[in-house]
Amino acid sequence: MREYHQGHMSKEELENNALLSFLVRLRHFVIKNKRIVVLAGLGVLLLLIVAGFMAVNSAAREEKAAAEFDKVAVMLQGEGAREKIGDIDKQLDTIIKTWPGTLAAAKASLHLADIQYRMDNFAGAIENFTRVKDHGKSSYLYPAALIGIANCYEQSGEPAKAVDYYDAVGALSDHFGLKDMALLGKARVLGAQGKFDEARKVLENIRSDVSAFADEAMRLSIWLDSKKTVQVLPAGK
């Protein structure tokens, strides 16, 4: 056994030998290519400086945009907001154009889309809801944007697109929420199309014991029953 150990390197000795060999080759490479190594190091340093500057600049943009949005948010919540709506939507649009890509711009887009939706400007609302959606799937605003787009398509008479967006909300992780709201929307669209059985199956996915939308689901269920009854009545009844 002693002769075996004397004639063969242990695993630790092999690893140490490989490391030493690598360090020797690395030293020779650095000496031989000193200029390239120095330039590469300077390049990495420059990239780090640029990345740091961009991070600081991005944080400053987010902070400035957030401050401007907070000013508009006060107007949205204050008295007489409806009378100031023209000025509010202009300020929201300014935030969107001045600080694109920021969270504040996404929030401004969401509020502007809501204003446009309530004014039946569905094309404009879809554009702004889409901007919110494109801000990122990880954003808590994402499902609200999908619901908004679905609502617009529902109201503008494009049921297939509305169902697609309601389904997109249903496919999200549970922590995003709004799934029951999307189910209600989908059931409404299907019911309006006369697809009463499909609509009722959708409503069955809403748990009445835990959902905040249980009452609305019950009202929608009653509406579906009444629509279905009217549909099957003979003509003249």
Side-chain angles (χ1 to χ4, degrees):
M1 290 295 292
R2 176 180 292 180
E3 292 178 357
Y4 176 82
H5 286 295
Q6 288 177 342
H8 294 80
M9 288 186 178
S10 66
K11 181 179 178 181
E12 183 179 353
E13 288 173 330
L14 286 171
E15 291 176 349
N16 289 337
N17 189 57
L19 177 61
L20 179 61
S21 177
F22 170 76
L23 291 175
V24 170
R25 289 197 302 270
L26 178 62
R27 180 173 178 274
H28 288 163
F29 175 84
V30 171
I31 294 173
K32 185 178 180 179
N33 302 278
K34 185 176 181 180
R35 179 180 175 83
I36 296 176
V37 172
V38 171
L39 290 176
L42 290 174
V44 171
L45 179 61
L46 180 60
L47 286 175
L48 291 174
I49 292 173
V50 170
F53 175 78
M54 291 178 65
V56 171
N57 185 54
S58 178
R61 289 180 72 251
E62 288 282 358
E63 185 176 348
K64 178 64 176 176
E68 291 301 316
F69 176 77
D70 287 344
K71 294 177 184 178
V72 183
V74 171
M75 297 174 63
L76 285 166
Q77 298 170 2
E79 295 183 4
R82 185 177 296 274
E83 289 73 20
K84 300 175 183 177
I85 203 68
D87 185 44
I88 289 174
D89 62 13
K90 288 179 181 177
Q91 292 192 46
L92 290 172
D93 189 58
T94 297
I95 293 171
I96 294 166
K97 292 177 178 177
T98 305
W99 295 283
T102 62
L103 178 59
K107 290 180 179 179
S109 296
L110 189 65
H111 282 280
L112 184 56
D114 181 63
I115 292 171
Q116 292 168 325
Y117 175 82
R118 286 187 276 116
M119 296 176 65
D120 294 337
N121 179 8
F122 301 121
I126 288 173
E127 180 181 350
N128 279 293
F129 279 130
T130 300
R131 189 178 288 113
V132 180
K133 175 179 72 70
D134 292 343
H135 181 68
K137 292 185 177 181
S138 62
S139 171
Y140 67 94
L141 302 176
Y142 184 73
L146 296 180
I147 288 283
I149 296 172
N151 288 341
C152 288
Y153 282 130
E154 180 181 351
Q155 294 300 319
S156 60
E158 297 186 71
K161 291 182 178 180
V163 168
D164 285 344
Y165 277 94
Y166 284 133
D167 282 342
V169 177
L172 297 177
S173 298
D174 289 336
H175 77 272
F176 275 107
L178 302 184
K179 283 193 172 186
D180 284 352
M181 184 182 292
L183 290 171
L184 284 170
K186 182 177 181 178
R188 276 196 314 269
V189 174
L190 293 173
Q193 292 179 295
K195 301 176 181 179
F196 305 116
D197 292 337
E198 291 183 48
R200 184 165 293 283
K201 286 182 180 179
V202 171
L203 288 179
E204 289 174 357
N205 292 313
I206 298 178
R207 293 203 33 207
S208 60
D209 57 332
V210 296
S211 176
F213 299 96
D215 290 341
E216 188 173 347
M218 179 62 71
R219 287 192 293 270
L220 183 53
S221 179
I222 294 171
W223 175 77
L224 288 171
D225 287 341
S226 65
K227 293 282 288 184
K228 188 173 183 179
T229 300
V230 171
Q231 188 181 61
V232 300
L233 282 176
K237 293 290 185 179

